[in-house]
């Protein structure tokens, strides 16, 4: 098996477990910050699936680019981080 595909499988399984546990935690702790954090985990998992489908040649990145970076790739990288940043700011503000 190709090591690159094996690494994708390992990342998908571990991210799937993280996403599942994040959803379970969100159902127990009903705070907006944790909901946004869970959205970040789910978006990260979706971005990984998108990257795998692109690597396998099933789909391709959009032709629209921003500084020669495909816009779809940029969105996949930025959205989870933005969710984490917002969630951490909310948690810090709540505990001050």
């Amino acid at each position: 098996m190709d090591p690159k595909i094996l690494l994708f499988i390992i990342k998908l399984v571990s991210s799937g477990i993280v996403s599942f546990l994040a959803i379970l935690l969100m159902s127990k702790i009903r705070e907006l910050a944790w909901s946004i954090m869970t959205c970040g985990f789910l978006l990260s998992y979706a971005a990984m699936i998108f990257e795998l489908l692109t690597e396998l040649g099933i789909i391709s990145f959009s032709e629209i680019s921003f500084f020669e970076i495909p816009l779809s790739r940029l969105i996949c990288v930025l959205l989870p981080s933005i969710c984490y940043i917002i969630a951490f700011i909310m948690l810090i503000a709540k505990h001050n």
Side-chain angles (χ1 to χ4, degrees):
M1 179 179 279
D2 184 23
K4 202 171 191 179
I5 299 298
L6 183 60
L7 183 62
F8 269 117
I9 292 170
I10 292 169
K11 286 169 41 176
L12 284 173
V13 169
S14 62
S15 295
I17 292 170
V18 168
S19 297
F20 177 74
L21 293 174
I23 292 170
L24 284 178
L25 179 66
M26 187 180 73
S27 69
K28 304 283 184 202
I29 303 172
R30 297 183 183 235
E31 293 181 21
L32 183 59
W34 283 107
S35 297
I36 293 172
M37 183 83 67
T38 301
C39 287
F41 290 128
L42 294 175
L43 286 170
S44 177
Y45 187 67
M48 195 176 316
I49 291 173
F50 184 74
E51 185 179 341
L52 176 64
L53 292 175
T54 303
E55 186 71 28
L56 294 174
I58 297 173
I59 58 174
S60 63
F61 286 117
S62 66
E63 297 297 323
I64 302 170
S65 62
F66 184 73
F67 291 110
E68 298 182 17
I69 300 172
L71 187 61
S72 54
R73 175 87 176 180
L74 187 64
I75 289 172
C76 286
V77 170
L78 285 179
L79 278 182
S81 296
I82 290 171
C83 287
Y84 299 144
I85 290 167
I86 292 170
F88 285 131
I89 288 172
M90 291 175 72
L91 287 171
I92 289 169
K94 180 182 175 185
H95 293 290
N96 278 338

